[in-house]
């Protein structure tokens, strides 16, 4: 890989380029097909009678019903049928974007399983490890779902505040089509929950199909952490490419990334910056986490989802409360308010005047993560100081505290961010 990133590498498309940020009514058949694929993956991974399969079914029914309410329905030939070659292109893009850490992690789990097979007399306790893994899987999903539910309740208690804020953003047009803010909140909540279940479906598949040894834990746990630390050094490059394609390949937007932008920009949608089917592909043909020991997977997924929930809380003044200092270094907000860029992680810490404690906390990130906005600046001329971002910061100040019921006047910033 060349040291200087080039658009020829990161913006390469084999198919037709169509830039998309939102769904339209004529995407209905594609959306239905996508939902059927989600259901098929749930049946394949969890099984027909598994409770999570029924949860996924119920959520898919909601998503299709919500689509008709929020976008209307008009029919055209689905993109899957009109451009079937884009399916092949999708897999090519994923393969080309794979990083060394993925293959090292895959080799690690393969070696562990071969070693277990070759030493059947050793006390590997593989069944115990599977039970522990499933316990961690369900514990992770339960804890984060409780957190997501608390956030939903906080938003439902402040619907007027949520609506007032969104009406001053690019979401005004969407609320004109579908003005019921309660529906929008539940849609965001169900989008996040469905995306979360599908994101960790590959983890469940790994737990139930791979074998893990108790006696190898002193090696596999630190090795998994080491591999993931190496992956984080290139995660922004990987994410930029995958994310850019998701917005410029119409097929990938409709089937992979679109649901992530179809719900209001709240922590309710946070999972790992991806759509429903997109999470499955990113964790089978992208990120290496699926090959780690379940203990490492639990830690990585829990931190990742929690951070992403907080990182997508772009409605200020409502739990989870994100200080303004975070908004000063993270411009992914612009991407959820109608601007394609930034495609990368969107962080910029090499700015003057940032709080010292914020800079210290950011030291846990890699250099590439801390200033991930540089890749956007190099590849697409992204300007950190842009009108949409300035407008968002102004709104953040205005709505940083929830206006008490029955109060009059403007909402003012009473906190120091």
């Amino acid at each position: 890989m060349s040291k200087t990133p080039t658009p020829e590498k990161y913006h390469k498309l084999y198919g037709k380029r169509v830039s998309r940020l939102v769904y339209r009514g004529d995407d209905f058949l594609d959306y239905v097909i996508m939902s059927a694929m989600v259901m098929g993956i749930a049946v394949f991974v969890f099984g027909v009678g598994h409770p999570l399969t029924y949860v996924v079914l119920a959520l898919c029914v909601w998503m299709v019903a919500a689509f008709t309410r929020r976008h209307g329905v008009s029919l055209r030939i689905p993109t899957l049928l009109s451009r079937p070659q884009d399916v092949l292109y999708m897999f090519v893009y994923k393969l080309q974007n794979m990083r060394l850490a993925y293959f090292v992690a895959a080799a690690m789990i393969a070696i562990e399983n071969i070693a277990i097979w070759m030493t059947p007399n050793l006390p590997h306790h593989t069944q115990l490890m599977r039970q522990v893994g499933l316990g961690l899987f369900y514990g992770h999903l339960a804890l984060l779902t409780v957190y997501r539910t608390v956030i939903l309740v906080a938003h439902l208690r402040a619907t007027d505040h949520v609506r007032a804020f969104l009406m001053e953003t690019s979401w005004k047009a969407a609320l004109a089509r579908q003005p019921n803010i309660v529906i929008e909140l539940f849609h965001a909540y169900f989008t996040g929950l469905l995306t979360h279940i599908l994101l960790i479906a590959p983890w469940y598949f790994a737990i139930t199909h791979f074998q893990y040894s108790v006696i190898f834990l002193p090696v596999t746990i630190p090795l998994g952490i080491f591999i993931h630390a190496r992956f984080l050094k290139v995660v922004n490059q990987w994410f930029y490419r995958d994310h850019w394609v998701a917005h410029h390949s119409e097929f990938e937007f409709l089937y992979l990334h679109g649901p992530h932008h179809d719900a209001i920009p709240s922590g309710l949608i946070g999972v790992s910056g991806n759509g429903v089917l997109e999470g499955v592909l990113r964790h089978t043909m992208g990120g290496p986490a699926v090959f780690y020991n379940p203990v490492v997977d639990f830690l990585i997924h829990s931190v990742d989802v929690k951070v992403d929930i907080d990182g997508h809380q772009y409605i200020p003044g409502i739990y989870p409360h994100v200080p303004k200092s975070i908004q000063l270094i993270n411009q992914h907000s612009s991407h959820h308010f109608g601007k394609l860029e930034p495609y990368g992680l969107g962080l910029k810490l090499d700015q003057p005047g940032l709080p010292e404690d914020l800079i210290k906390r950011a030291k846990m990130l890699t250099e590439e993560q801390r200033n991930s906005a540089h890749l956007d600046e190099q590849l697409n001329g992204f300007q950190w100081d842009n009108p949409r971002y300035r407008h968002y910061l102004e709104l953040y100040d205005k709505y940083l505290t929830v206006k008490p019921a029955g109060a009059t006047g403007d909402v003012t910033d009473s906190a120091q961010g």
Side-chain angles (χ1 to χ4, degrees), residues 35 89 178 212 332:
S35 300
Y89 296 150
Q178 199 299 107
Y212 306 93
H332 190 65

Side-chain angles (χ1 to χ4, degrees), residues 2 73 88 91 95 108 131 140-141 144 147 193 203 213 220 227 232 234 255 266 271 276 320 341 356 373 398 405 416:
S2 61
V73 176
L88 173 61
F91 286 109
L95 289 169
M108 178 185 71
Q131 292 173 352
H140 160 86
L141 182 59
L144 271 300
Y147 184 51
L193 181 57
W203 180 24
S213 170
T220 56
I227 293 172
L232 291 179
V234 296
Y255 285 82
S266 157
V271 177
V276 185
E341 304 87 3
E356 191 64 30
K398 181 178 179 180
Q416 296 298 318

